[in-house]
Amino acid sequence: MITFDKVNKKYGDYQALADINAEVKRGEVVVVCGPSGSGKSTLIRTVNRLEEINSGAILFEGRNVHAPMSRREMNRLRSHIGFVFQSFNLFPHLSTLENITLSPIKINGVKRELAREKGMKLLDRVGLANKADAYPGQLSGGQQQRVAIARALAMEPPAMLFDEPTSALDPEMVGEVLAVMKGLAADGMTMMCVTHEMGFARDVADRVWFMDAGQILETADPETFFRAPKHPRAQRFLSDLRH
Amino acid sequence: MIGDVITIIQDNWLLLLVGQYPNGPLGGIAATLILSVVSIVLAFPVGILIALARLSTSRLLLWPSTVLVYVARGVPLLMLIFWVYFVGPLVVGTRIPGFLTMLITLVVYEGCFLSEIIRGGIVALGRGQMEAARSLGHSYLAAMAWVILPQALYNMIPSILSQFVSTIKETTLGYVINVPELTFAANQINNQLLTQPFEVFFLLAIIYFVICWSLTRAAILLERRISNKRAGRGGTPTPPALEARALTAEP
């Protein structure tokens, strides 16, 4: 569903992504892990073109995201890719429900009443139906991130990308966000997650990609990856995590 | 002295309020307020457009808007007024009324200053909001309209209001091209009385002060109301801000 084909990205002389070849299959949950600066966030941000690439192609449902296209097509394509940020990026001037309904109403032309109805269902799904009229400033970090997930889901994307969704959270709030993500995975959502939550990777992921220095050094199912990582860099990374 | 001021008000209140109207053009406080309000209302969209042009990657938009803003910031308002007053009629080939001259100048001048305020507000938001909106599928302009500008403009309300207050004060310059606004009216009174310039211009100062001060107060109240709404405190007042003394006093 998401295919990386010889993707290269440079910042000046610095090779941020080096010849990435990989695929996320429909319904699959892929966790991308690796040390900081390894290119994980850059990789996930290239999928909806928040970052441009220098060469290669990224196919989303068979379409090259980085092919020349009109702005209209670009926006349409982006609306099919759910993206959740480390820093939530909720719209602080809108209530929780308005955050969720804004895009379906403005982009898809969904009727206001219908959008609100669907929005309430999504809020219920992330366990925040009672916060519909609250503003983001009144929510905890964990609650904000759950709203951000609901906001992305409101566009009914076939795949969701998570860029370190729990890294900005206090430890006690990580669980509630991961629980929502687990629920999504159980419903069969295609997911690509950059995360340091190895417990989540172990329990939920179908594949783990280990990255360092802009390359995917190892891909494996979590069972194998955590028990017997092959690449020495991955072994060191996992042993550093345990200490 | 206060007695003299009151007498001046009693004798000239209509002139101060509306100028020669209905026997001549509308003037006085009415003209000052209309000129200020209309120019700020028109300058506002102009300011947004210039700000967007200044943030654009297209040179066709970036360069002219940048030149315009730099000229407006680098030249005294009085000079701009003279330019429009003397050059404007040559360009359009017909006489331009003083009120319109002043209005055009103020819209351009205030538009440029507002654009810098608005641009600052947009830049200060950081890129997270824009990225979030774009990744949901909004176009650049839609993201601006629904996500970025509502926040940037709100955050800039105090600066925008203070710009409005200075616009009111800048309308006094209309006096030099015979726009019959409040200062013009006061000067007429002074020319009739001849012996009471202090009283007349004291009165003038008071009027300007009351208008501008109440606007500043209104701005503060408006700001509090919105931030209370955002914080979900309904109508309850925000706790008073720390006094400057508390922040600077030696511990």
PDB file of all heavy atoms in Angstrom, chain B residues 32-57:
ATOM      1  N   THR B  32     -13.457  62.571  11.739  1.00  0.00           N
ATOM      2  CA  THR B  32     -12.298  61.855  12.273  1.00  0.00           C
ATOM      3  C   THR B  32     -12.612  60.375  12.441  1.00  0.00           C
ATOM      4  O   THR B  32     -11.837  59.508  12.003  1.00  0.00           O
ATOM      5  CB  THR B  32     -11.883  62.459  13.632  1.00  0.00           C
ATOM      6  OG1 THR B  32     -11.335  63.756  13.395  1.00  0.00           O
ATOM      7  CG2 THR B  32     -10.853  61.597  14.331  1.00  0.00           C
ATOM      8  N   LEU B  33     -13.774  60.092  13.072  1.00  0.00           N
ATOM      9  CA  LEU B  33     -14.121  58.692  13.324  1.00  0.00           C
ATOM     10  C   LEU B  33     -14.404  57.945  12.026  1.00  0.00           C
ATOM     11  O   LEU B  33     -13.947  56.816  11.842  1.00  0.00           O
ATOM     12  CB  LEU B  33     -15.330  58.607  14.266  1.00  0.00           C
ATOM     13  CG  LEU B  33     -15.019  58.973  15.731  1.00  0.00           C
ATOM     14  CD1 LEU B  33     -16.265  58.822  16.590  1.00  0.00           C
ATOM     15  CD2 LEU B  33     -13.884  58.121  16.284  1.00  0.00           C
ATOM     16  N   ILE B  34     -15.151  58.586  11.122  1.00  0.00           N
ATOM     17  CA  ILE B  34     -15.465  57.908   9.860  1.00  0.00           C
ATOM     18  C   ILE B  34     -14.184  57.617   9.084  1.00  0.00           C
ATOM     19  O   ILE B  34     -13.964  56.510   8.596  1.00  0.00           O
ATOM     20  CB  ILE B  34     -16.435  58.765   9.014  1.00  0.00           C
ATOM     21  CG1 ILE B  34     -17.814  58.771   9.670  1.00  0.00           C
ATOM     22  CG2 ILE B  34     -16.544  58.227   7.587  1.00  0.00           C
ATOM     23  CD1 ILE B  34     -18.800  59.706   9.022  1.00  0.00           C
ATOM     24  N   LEU B  35     -13.297  58.633   9.040  1.00  0.00           N
ATOM     25  CA  LEU B  35     -12.029  58.462   8.328  1.00  0.00           C
ATOM     26  C   LEU B  35     -11.213  57.317   8.945  1.00  0.00           C
ATOM     27  O   LEU B  35     -10.686  56.458   8.229  1.00  0.00           O
ATOM     28  CB  LEU B  35     -11.241  59.777   8.383  1.00  0.00           C
ATOM     29  CG  LEU B  35      -9.993  59.886   7.517  1.00  0.00           C
ATOM     30  CD1 LEU B  35     -10.326  59.607   6.060  1.00  0.00           C
ATOM     31  CD2 LEU B  35      -9.373  61.273   7.657  1.00  0.00           C
ATOM     32  N   SER B  36     -11.147  57.286  10.274  1.00  0.00           N
ATOM     33  CA  SER B  36     -10.359  56.236  10.945  1.00  0.00           C
ATOM     34  C   SER B  36     -10.963  54.863  10.701  1.00  0.00           C
ATOM     35  O   SER B  36     -10.263  53.921  10.339  1.00  0.00           O
ATOM     36  CB  SER B  36     -10.299  56.462  12.461  1.00  0.00           C
ATOM     37  OG  SER B  36     -10.116  57.798  12.759  1.00  0.00           O
ATOM     38  N   VAL B  37     -12.276  54.777  10.933  1.00  0.00           N
ATOM     39  CA  VAL B  37     -12.915  53.465  10.828  1.00  0.00           C
ATOM     40  C   VAL B  37     -12.848  52.932   9.399  1.00  0.00           C
ATOM     41  O   VAL B  37     -12.441  51.794   9.168  1.00  0.00           O
ATOM     42  CB  VAL B  37     -14.390  53.530  11.318  1.00  0.00           C
ATOM     43  CG1 VAL B  37     -15.124  52.242  10.977  1.00  0.00           C
ATOM     44  CG2 VAL B  37     -14.438  53.793  12.808  1.00  0.00           C
ATOM     45  N   VAL B  38     -13.205  53.791   8.438  1.00  0.00           N
ATOM     46  CA  VAL B  38     -13.195  53.325   7.050  1.00  0.00           C
ATOM     47  C   VAL B  38     -11.779  52.946   6.628  1.00  0.00           C
ATOM     48  O   VAL B  38     -11.565  51.925   5.975  1.00  0.00           O
ATOM     49  CB  VAL B  38     -13.783  54.394   6.101  1.00  0.00           C
ATOM     50  CG1 VAL B  38     -13.618  53.970   4.647  1.00  0.00           C
ATOM     51  CG2 VAL B  38     -15.255  54.618   6.409  1.00  0.00           C
ATOM     52  N   SER B  39     -10.799  53.756   7.021  1.00  0.00           N
ATOM     53  CA  SER B  39      -9.442  53.440   6.559  1.00  0.00           C
ATOM     54  C   SER B  39      -8.928  52.166   7.209  1.00  0.00           C
ATOM     55  O   SER B  39      -8.258  51.363   6.563  1.00  0.00           O
ATOM     56  CB  SER B  39      -8.482  54.610   6.791  1.00  0.00           C
ATOM     57  OG  SER B  39      -8.359  54.894   8.152  1.00  0.00           O
ATOM     58  N   ILE B  40      -9.254  51.926   8.472  1.00  0.00           N
ATOM     59  CA  ILE B  40      -8.753  50.693   9.097  1.00  0.00           C
ATOM     60  C   ILE B  40      -9.502  49.481   8.538  1.00  0.00           C
ATOM     61  O   ILE B  40      -8.914  48.421   8.336  1.00  0.00           O
ATOM     62  CB  ILE B  40      -8.831  50.756  10.644  1.00  0.00           C
ATOM     63  CG1 ILE B  40      -7.806  49.810  11.269  1.00  0.00           C
ATOM     64  CG2 ILE B  40     -10.191  50.428  11.167  1.00  0.00           C
ATOM     65  CD1 ILE B  40      -6.450  50.368  11.418  1.00  0.00           C
ATOM     66  N   VAL B  41     -10.816  49.663   8.275  1.00  0.00           N
ATOM     67  CA  VAL B  41     -11.593  48.544   7.710  1.00  0.00           C
ATOM     68  C   VAL B  41     -11.051  48.160   6.329  1.00  0.00           C
ATOM     69  O   VAL B  41     -10.929  46.987   5.993  1.00  0.00           O
ATOM     70  CB  VAL B  41     -13.091  48.920   7.629  1.00  0.00           C
ATOM     71  CG1 VAL B  41     -13.837  47.992   6.688  1.00  0.00           C
ATOM     72  CG2 VAL B  41     -13.711  48.876   9.019  1.00  0.00           C
ATOM     73  N   LEU B  42     -10.672  49.175   5.549  1.00  0.00           N
ATOM     74  CA  LEU B  42     -10.116  48.878   4.226  1.00  0.00           C
ATOM     75  C   LEU B  42      -8.662  48.418   4.333  1.00  0.00           C
ATOM     76  O   LEU B  42      -8.199  47.584   3.552  1.00  0.00           O
ATOM     77  CB  LEU B  42     -10.208  50.105   3.320  1.00  0.00           C
ATOM     78  CG  LEU B  42     -11.621  50.558   2.953  1.00  0.00           C
ATOM     79  CD1 LEU B  42     -11.578  51.788   2.060  1.00  0.00           C
ATOM     80  CD2 LEU B  42     -12.375  49.438   2.244  1.00  0.00           C
ATOM     81  N   ALA B  43      -7.934  48.969   5.304  1.00  0.00           N
ATOM     82  CA  ALA B  43      -6.513  48.627   5.446  1.00  0.00           C
ATOM     83  C   ALA B  43      -6.341  47.187   5.913  1.00  0.00           C
ATOM     84  O   ALA B  43      -5.323  46.558   5.629  1.00  0.00           O
ATOM     85  CB  ALA B  43      -5.833  49.581   6.428  1.00  0.00           C
ATOM     86  N   PHE B  44      -7.345  46.674   6.600  1.00  0.00           N
ATOM     87  CA  PHE B  44      -7.246  45.327   7.166  1.00  0.00           C
ATOM     88  C   PHE B  44      -7.088  44.253   6.087  1.00  0.00           C
ATOM     89  O   PHE B  44      -6.097  43.524   6.082  1.00  0.00           O
ATOM     90  CB  PHE B  44      -8.476  45.079   8.035  1.00  0.00           C
ATOM     91  CG  PHE B  44      -8.305  43.950   8.984  1.00  0.00           C
ATOM     92  CD1 PHE B  44      -7.370  44.013   9.996  1.00  0.00           C
ATOM     93  CD2 PHE B  44      -9.073  42.802   8.855  1.00  0.00           C
ATOM     94  CE1 PHE B  44      -7.196  42.962  10.862  1.00  0.00           C
ATOM     95  CE2 PHE B  44      -8.911  41.751   9.719  1.00  0.00           C
ATOM     96  CZ  PHE B  44      -7.975  41.826  10.732  1.00  0.00           C
ATOM     97  N   PRO B  45      -8.031  44.164   5.130  1.00  0.00           N
ATOM     98  CA  PRO B  45      -7.813  43.188   4.042  1.00  0.00           C
ATOM     99  C   PRO B  45      -6.550  43.493   3.238  1.00  0.00           C
ATOM    100  O   PRO B  45      -5.849  42.568   2.826  1.00  0.00           O
ATOM    101  CB  PRO B  45      -9.062  43.316   3.173  1.00  0.00           C
ATOM    102  CG  PRO B  45      -9.753  44.551   3.603  1.00  0.00           C
ATOM    103  CD  PRO B  45      -9.352  44.811   5.010  1.00  0.00           C
ATOM    104  N   VAL B  46      -6.258  44.789   3.036  1.00  0.00           N
ATOM    105  CA  VAL B  46      -5.032  45.148   2.318  1.00  0.00           C
ATOM    106  C   VAL B  46      -3.817  44.605   3.072  1.00  0.00           C
ATOM    107  O   VAL B  46      -2.901  44.020   2.486  1.00  0.00           O
ATOM    108  CB  VAL B  46      -4.925  46.691   2.156  1.00  0.00           C
ATOM    109  CG1 VAL B  46      -3.546  47.090   1.654  1.00  0.00           C
ATOM    110  CG2 VAL B  46      -5.993  47.186   1.195  1.00  0.00           C
ATOM    111  N   GLY B  47      -3.841  44.771   4.395  1.00  0.00           N
ATOM    112  CA  GLY B  47      -2.738  44.279   5.227  1.00  0.00           C
ATOM    113  C   GLY B  47      -2.577  42.770   5.121  1.00  0.00           C
ATOM    114  O   GLY B  47      -1.456  42.261   5.015  1.00  0.00           O
ATOM    115  N   ILE B  48      -3.717  42.045   5.127  1.00  0.00           N
ATOM    116  CA  ILE B  48      -3.649  40.581   5.011  1.00  0.00           C
ATOM    117  C   ILE B  48      -3.038  40.194   3.664  1.00  0.00           C
ATOM    118  O   ILE B  48      -2.153  39.338   3.583  1.00  0.00           O
ATOM    119  CB  ILE B  48      -5.053  39.957   5.174  1.00  0.00           C
ATOM    120  CG1 ILE B  48      -5.528  40.117   6.617  1.00  0.00           C
ATOM    121  CG2 ILE B  48      -5.040  38.478   4.795  1.00  0.00           C
ATOM    122  CD1 ILE B  48      -6.924  39.606   6.877  1.00  0.00           C
ATOM    123  N   LEU B  49      -3.501  40.876   2.593  1.00  0.00           N
ATOM    124  CA  LEU B  49      -2.983  40.550   1.262  1.00  0.00           C
ATOM    125  C   LEU B  49      -1.480  40.836   1.168  1.00  0.00           C
ATOM    126  O   LEU B  49      -0.716  40.026   0.637  1.00  0.00           O
ATOM    127  CB  LEU B  49      -3.743  41.338   0.192  1.00  0.00           C
ATOM    128  CG  LEU B  49      -5.186  40.890  -0.039  1.00  0.00           C
ATOM    129  CD1 LEU B  49      -5.868  41.756  -1.093  1.00  0.00           C
ATOM    130  CD2 LEU B  49      -5.224  39.416  -0.453  1.00  0.00           C
ATOM    131  N   ILE B  50      -1.052  41.984   1.705  1.00  0.00           N
ATOM    132  CA  ILE B  50       0.380  42.311   1.643  1.00  0.00           C
ATOM    133  C   ILE B  50       1.177  41.300   2.472  1.00  0.00           C
ATOM    134  O   ILE B  50       2.245  40.847   2.055  1.00  0.00           O
ATOM    135  CB  ILE B  50       0.641  43.752   2.137  1.00  0.00           C
ATOM    136  CG1 ILE B  50      -0.067  44.760   1.237  1.00  0.00           C
ATOM    137  CG2 ILE B  50       2.143  44.049   2.164  1.00  0.00           C
ATOM    138  CD1 ILE B  50       0.053  46.207   1.699  1.00  0.00           C
ATOM    139  N   ALA B  51       0.629  40.923   3.635  1.00  0.00           N
ATOM    140  CA  ALA B  51       1.333  39.944   4.474  1.00  0.00           C
ATOM    141  C   ALA B  51       1.500  38.623   3.727  1.00  0.00           C
ATOM    142  O   ALA B  51       2.580  38.028   3.726  1.00  0.00           O
ATOM    143  CB  ALA B  51       0.570  39.721   5.782  1.00  0.00           C
ATOM    144  N   LEU B  52       0.427  38.169   3.056  1.00  0.00           N
ATOM    145  CA  LEU B  52       0.513  36.912   2.308  1.00  0.00           C
ATOM    146  C   LEU B  52       1.511  37.034   1.159  1.00  0.00           C
ATOM    147  O   LEU B  52       2.274  36.111   0.886  1.00  0.00           O
ATOM    148  CB  LEU B  52      -0.867  36.506   1.773  1.00  0.00           C
ATOM    149  CG  LEU B  52      -1.893  36.116   2.845  1.00  0.00           C
ATOM    150  CD1 LEU B  52      -3.200  35.682   2.192  1.00  0.00           C
ATOM    151  CD2 LEU B  52      -1.356  35.002   3.720  1.00  0.00           C
ATOM    152  N   ALA B  53       1.512  38.200   0.515  1.00  0.00           N
ATOM    153  CA  ALA B  53       2.468  38.409  -0.584  1.00  0.00           C
ATOM    154  C   ALA B  53       3.894  38.385  -0.047  1.00  0.00           C
ATOM    155  O   ALA B  53       4.799  37.830  -0.675  1.00  0.00           O
ATOM    156  CB  ALA B  53       2.181  39.740  -1.273  1.00  0.00           C
ATOM    157  N   ARG B  54       4.081  38.960   1.141  1.00  0.00           N
ATOM    158  CA  ARG B  54       5.422  39.003   1.741  1.00  0.00           C
ATOM    159  C   ARG B  54       5.889  37.621   2.182  1.00  0.00           C
ATOM    160  O   ARG B  54       7.077  37.388   2.359  1.00  0.00           O
ATOM    161  CB  ARG B  54       5.421  39.946   2.949  1.00  0.00           C
ATOM    162  CG  ARG B  54       5.263  41.395   2.572  1.00  0.00           C
ATOM    163  CD  ARG B  54       6.594  42.110   2.527  1.00  0.00           C
ATOM    164  NE  ARG B  54       7.112  42.412   3.847  1.00  0.00           N
ATOM    165  CZ  ARG B  54       8.399  42.419   4.148  1.00  0.00           C
ATOM    166  NH1 ARG B  54       9.289  42.103   3.240  1.00  0.00           N
ATOM    167  NH2 ARG B  54       8.792  42.726   5.372  1.00  0.00           N
ATOM    168  N   LEU B  55       4.923  36.711   2.408  1.00  0.00           N
ATOM    169  CA  LEU B  55       5.288  35.352   2.802  1.00  0.00           C
ATOM    170  C   LEU B  55       5.350  34.417   1.606  1.00  0.00           C
ATOM    171  O   LEU B  55       5.700  33.250   1.737  1.00  0.00           O
ATOM    172  CB  LEU B  55       4.265  34.812   3.818  1.00  0.00           C
ATOM    173  CG  LEU B  55       4.317  35.431   5.211  1.00  0.00           C
ATOM    174  CD1 LEU B  55       3.057  35.095   5.994  1.00  0.00           C
ATOM    175  CD2 LEU B  55       5.543  34.967   5.960  1.00  0.00           C
ATOM    176  N   SER B  56       4.993  34.947   0.447  1.00  0.00           N
ATOM    177  CA  SER B  56       4.933  34.104  -0.750  1.00  0.00           C
ATOM    178  C   SER B  56       6.331  33.771  -1.254  1.00  0.00           C
ATOM    179  O   SER B  56       7.290  34.493  -1.005  1.00  0.00           O
ATOM    180  CB  SER B  56       4.139  34.840  -1.825  1.00  0.00           C
ATOM    181  OG  SER B  56       4.387  34.262  -3.082  1.00  0.00           O
ATOM    182  N   THR B  57       6.429  32.638  -1.960  1.00  0.00           N
ATOM    183  CA  THR B  57       7.709  32.284  -2.556  1.00  0.00           C
ATOM    184  C   THR B  57       7.819  32.845  -3.973  1.00  0.00           C
ATOM    185  O   THR B  57       8.884  32.814  -4.575  1.00  0.00           O
ATOM    186  CB  THR B  57       7.875  30.751  -2.621  1.00  0.00           C
ATOM    187  OG1 THR B  57       6.697  30.197  -3.174  1.00  0.00           O
ATOM    188  CG2 THR B  57       8.107  30.164  -1.236  1.00  0.00           C
TER     189      THR B  57
END
